[in-house]
Amino acid sequence: MLNLYFNPMSPYAHKVFFFFEEAGIPYKSHLIELGKPESRAALDRLNPLGAVPTIEHDGFVLSESNAILRYAAQKFGKTSFYPENLEDRARVDQMMDFTTLHVSRWLMSLVWNLAMAPKLGRPVSQKSIDDARDSLVLSLPKLERHLMGRTFLNGPTLSIADCAMVPFAATYKATGLSFGDFPQVQGYFDRLSERPAWKKTQGELEKAMPR
């Protein structure tokens, strides 16, 4: 059995949930309540890196969401998501790395500072907001050009690169950014957000949210 240890506040856990649902990979989820010492200690015993998401599969323990996507795609033979051909696989890795480093991280920074932090009573960093907006000004035109003629990041079918993008694409509206100049990006984000697997993921994670 593949065990997934998660916290619902982590968008990095969301991408793993989504991939497992989209690819039909059987798993059992385990809630880690990071604010509770006993729950945190249990995670640290399992994984010294102390990160969520973490998976355990037949004694093999792994964290870092993109590493989990790559491992699970290969372990369960999901070659439509992560091809066996080296060149095709490298292109998936290229887009996963590009969106992680140049798009997702900045969208997450905006969502945190503009939507989540105020609700949680946490400090808001104007510098982080400005840095994220400045960086997206550089990155979004590149993503717009790349998506011309493509349904997903690597062509007509979903890959793990798209799975890594889903939680950030689905929350972009909370940033208040205008995507009017980037119709390809906006269309791509909307396609991801409408996937039944994402809606199921949202429902399951909503149940696990603290009340």
Side-chain angles (χ1 to χ4, degrees), residues 47-66:
N47 178 7
L49 296 177
V52 289
T54 288
I55 61 166
E56 182 277 323
H57 184 232
D58 295 337
F60 175 70
V61 176
L62 185 68
S63 61
E64 298 303 321
S65 56
N66 287 353

Side-chain angles (χ1 to χ4, degrees), residues 7-76:
N7 182 276
M9 296 295 289
S10 168
Y12 306 102
H14 299 184
K15 67 170 81 169
V16 175
F17 266 102
F18 173 78
F19 173 57
F20 289 173
E21 291 292 341
E22 189 75 44
I25 294 174
Y27 66 96
K28 183 177 181 180
S29 61
H30 305 268
L31 175 64
I32 298 294
E33 298 179 88
L34 297 173
K36 294 186 177 181
E38 64 274 17
S39 190
R40 166 69 76 173
L43 175 64
D44 290 342
R45 285 194 297 272
L46 177 70
N47 178 7
L49 296 177
V52 289
T54 288
I55 61 166
E56 182 277 323
H57 184 232
D58 295 337
F60 175 70
V61 176
L62 185 68
S63 61
E64 298 303 321
S65 56
N66 287 353
I68 292 170
L69 296 184
R70 292 181 172 110
Y71 167 80
Q74 294 175 85
K75 187 69 176 180
F76 292 92

Side-chain angles (χ1 to χ4, degrees), residues 12 17 20 28 39 66 77 88 93 112 138 146 162 199:
Y12 306 102
F17 266 102
F20 289 173
K28 183 177 181 180
S39 190
N66 287 353
D88 291 338
D93 288 334
W112 170 256
L138 299 175
H146 176 79
D162 301 295
K199 293 179 179 179

Side-chain angles (χ1 to χ4, degrees), residues 163-174:
C163 296
M165 189 74 223
V166 167
F168 310 99
T171 56
Y172 81 90
K173 292 179 181 177

Side-chain angles (χ1 to χ4, degrees), residues 126-160:
Q126 186 60 47
K127 183 180 186 305
S128 295
I129 293 171
D130 293 341
D131 287 347
R133 284 178 170 156
D134 289 345
S135 296
L136 286 169
V137 165
L138 299 175
S139 300
L140 288 177
K142 298 174 183 178
L143 184 58
E144 180 77 7
R145 290 195 299 270
H146 176 79
L147 285 168
M148 290 292 293
R150 291 184 172 92
T151 303
F152 298 107
L153 287 174
N154 289 94
T157 58
L158 206 72
S159 73
I160 59 170

